[in-house]
Amino acid sequence: MTSSETVKPAKPGGLATKTLVLTGLTIFTGLVLAPFLVVLLNAFKSSEDYSQGGPLSLPSAIYFQGMIDFWNRVEFGEKLWNSFLISASVAVLAVIISVLNAYAIGIGRLRGRTAFLMFFLLANLLPQEALVYPLYYLSKQFDLYNTRLVVIIILTAIQAAFGTYLLSSVFRDFPPSLLEAAALDGAGKLRTLIRVVVPTSWPTLSVLFTFFFIWTWNEFFLPLIFLIDNDLQTVPLALAVLQGQREVDITTTAASALLGIVPAVLFFLIFQRTLTRGVMSGAVK
Amino acid sequence: MFRTRKMGVVAAALAVTASLGLAACGGDSGDEGDSKTLKLWHYESPASGLGIAWTEAIKQFKASHPGVEVVFEEKGFEQIRQNAGMILNSNEAPDIMEYNKGNASAGLLSKQGLLTDMSEEVTKRGWDAKTPASIAITSKYDQDGIMGGDKWYGVTNYGEYVMVYYNKDEFKKLNLEVPTTLAEFETVMQRFKDAGKTPLAVGGAEYPAQQIFYQLALSQANTSFVDDYQLYKNKVNFQGPELTNGANKFAEWVSKGYIAKDSAGVKAEDMGVSFIQGNAPILISGSWWYGRFSEEIKYDWGTFLFPGNKLNAGSGGNLWVIPSSSKNKSLAYDFIEITMKPEIQNLIGNSGGVPIGADPAAITDAKNKELIENFNAINTANGLAFYPDWPAPGYYDVLVGGMQNLINGSKTPQAVLDEIATPYNDNLASLGK
């Protein structure tokens, strides 16, 4: 958020505009951050404190027990590992599959590519609820129900559908000169893909990887359906355990939400540089 | 640069391979009925009255069944609600689990053949005698999966009912007595209103408003109305005296200021918090609040039954059910047996729950005792009337909308009754009644 904000010398008369824009941006940032602040505020309150003071009061004492209790109750470490395992596997596999598909469709100019793209787009638009029963019966047939593997396979397919769609249009504008040069050097199709196409589009691929990872991390519905045993479940499912039938435990929910957000934020911060690079890469060339 | 990139790819590929290997060995629990394990699920938080009692029950089960491993998992309510049908239809089903009572939950699963008919064991072990008649209704289902049937598909340890929570300090300030009739109750509320306080905390965006409406309808009703409304024995006249009284009184309470005009958007949680903070002196809601109130309210408070009512919203609690695919049914029955024992029942009572068979003499806390005695009084009078949203799928939202119209005054009571009658009758038609 702080990097690359060195602005060029302003145009004359820009001060008023700049102040206005800055004020606007500050307000917006405040609005975006407000819910997180409320979560932060309530995560360190005892339930009693919350009931007495309401959601906006400052905690009367910093209270860690809610977070500790939650961690132990759902064995959060295990959930983190499951989420990481599933998200990382999906992100890697989905990027690989997207590249292979898009190479055929975007660069290979496969016949009927428009139809293929339409198909992938449609698959993306399909609500997950419609997929549940067929997938449920299939997974039972293959003895994969209640395994992490089935979630990885399904989400890889879903993410790769989007990835294929996106990458195909990126590859369509791939500089032909590079391909010709590779062909002149006697590179085959596979070699061209590995040595020319993938390195050139690396920034785009890392953006895809990051998005796939975060999307999979936040995925709730399909893991809910397919991961039955507690020791296979992911972070969003662990957070849902707190939602009782009639009662909601606000402070513990806030504490757990904080625990759930932190990994995603960390991941984003780590990959922030590749993200900005990927987004800019098309623009500069 | 290129080299590190390559290393990254290799590492990622390794991670994937490792993960696939790991994933493949997860989740096979194909051990057949060896009577060596009891796979048990419930979704009560460990600190709640039931959570405490059931933890103790598991401990006692282990003691009386040495060599049996208890595989307990605390589930999310949402996961069980969404998935129970699919899980029970697979190899992953537990041997025994907690499940929601009602036509749309336990009833539906029993109709699909996914639950064990427990009738024989229930009579043999005498659980039917321990279960008050109006509690048993939600444990028994007929062949269409409608409650009040002839076969036991679940057993419950506890009940729940709607009552009035009140702030004793505020009552004392105005020299008010606990009301015993509806008229007296209205006088009490008027006194608060005159003193410049809105008497009732109401959550109009969720279940609380419809339960007040239902309590008011029940004040004019007898058991045959409940049978008609909940068990479809006869057609219900939505413009009849019961529901008309419910809607009219509710609208009257809004116009007299007993219910705040801005409560249409209030959630149940906020309603509870406003009572805990002492902003409203009276709250009409269920026994599920009891435990939290005991822990968090700083002033002197108490409960009484809805004044003048013979019938009250409430029901048996969630059920212990045994999936048809359970591999260790006899162990599951043994576990239920333990939860029905007086000591576990008393433990539920002492932890702020409402057990079906507690001995009031064994309850140490005076307030808990009052809670249980009130419940026993309802049961002796056969006075549990279930909840207004039970009769039809999706009826909860219909009622929330109807009550919001009453609170906002955007529709007359008659119009609201017509509005909520349609989905009810549509459901009847789809059941072929």
Side-chain angles (χ1 to χ4, degrees), chain A residues 47-48 51 136 140 224 228, chain B residues 75 83 86 89 296 298:
Chain A
S47 168
E48 207 178 314
S51 296
Y136 165 69
K140 271 208 320 189
L224 179 79
I228 308 304
Chain B
K75 292 291 173 187
N83 283 347
M86 284 192 270
N89 210 359
E296 295 181 357
K298 303 272 193 225

Side-chain angles (χ1 to χ4, degrees), chain B residues 141-410:
Chain B
Y141 296 88
D142 67 10
Q143 68 216 17
D144 296 322
I146 289 171
M147 62 184 198
D150 47 356
K151 285 184 179 148
W152 291 76
Y153 282 100
V155 171
T156 188
N157 299 149
Y158 67 103
E160 47 187 53
Y161 66 103
V162 171
M163 70 195 96
V164 183
Y165 294 89
Y166 72 109
N167 183 331
K168 284 189 180 171
D169 292 349
E170 294 285 339
F171 269 57
K172 226 171 272 164
K173 253 186 240 164
L174 295 180
N175 263 329
L176 294 168
E177 296 285 322
V178 168
T180 52
T181 66
L182 190 57
E184 281 178 30
F185 191 31
E186 289 182 312
T187 319
V188 165
M189 290 193 289
Q190 188 61 47
R191 293 277 300 279
F192 277 114
K193 189 68 207 163
D194 294 341
K197 229 176 159 87
T198 303
L200 281 179
V202 178
E206 287 174 342
Y207 63 85
Q210 52 186 271
Q211 292 183 354
I212 295 175
F213 158 77
Y214 192 54
Q215 288 291 85
L216 289 167
L218 291 173
S219 70
Q220 300 292 314
N222 53 27
T223 42
S224 68
F225 168 78
V226 177
D227 285 351
D228 295 347
Y229 184 81
Q230 299 281 1
L231 306 177
Y232 321 124
K233 294 264 160 76
N234 294 292
K235 270 214 131 186
V236 175
N237 179 6
F238 274 74
Q239 300 288 354
E242 300 91 358
L243 292 167
T244 305
N245 182 70
N248 282 342
K249 270 278 180 230
F250 192 96
E252 190 187 319
W253 284 14
V254 174
S255 69
K256 286 192 172 159
Y258 304 161
I259 296 172
K261 288 224 161 51
D262 58 4
S263 52
V266 175
K267 299 237 180 212
E269 166 69 19
D270 300 328
M271 167 190 85
V273 168
S274 91
F275 184 70
I276 293 173
Q277 293 178 340
N279 296 335
I282 305 173
L283 176 132
I284 302 172
S285 196
S287 43
W288 48 90
W289 287 103
Y290 189 87
R292 179 159 172 205
F293 286 174
S294 325
E295 267 170 39
E296 295 181 357
I297 291 183
K298 303 272 193 225
Y299 54 79
D300 193 16
W301 61 283
T303 62
F304 54 86
L305 286 173
F306 195 85
N309 268 31
K310 285 208 181 63
L311 294 165
N312 287 284
S315 74
N318 287 338
L319 306 172
W320 287 116
V321 298
I322 302 180
S324 306
S325 53
S326 162
K327 287 154 196 149
N328 290 300
K329 288 184 186 169
S330 66
L331 290 179
Y333 287 122
D334 287 355
F335 179 77
I336 298 177
E337 177 92 52
I338 291 173
T339 64
M340 297 295 269
K341 284 203 316 205
E343 34 181 318
I344 299 293
Q345 291 284 313
N346 291 340
L347 186 56
I348 297 178
N350 276 320
S351 323
V354 192
I356 56 167
D359 175 11
I363 306 299
T364 44
D365 183 89
K367 216 179 280 173
N368 289 6
K369 202 171 182 166
E370 189 180 55
L371 178 83
I372 289 161
E373 279 168 351
N374 280 339
F375 185 60
N376 291 348
I378 296 179
N379 279 326
T380 346
N382 226 348
L384 283 182
F386 317 112
Y387 297 99
D389 60 314
W390 276 15
Y395 206 46
Y396 177 85
D397 295 317
V398 174
L399 288 175
V400 168
M403 294 309 115
Q404 285 176 330
N405 283 331
L406 284 180
I407 295 172
N408 294 331
S410 50

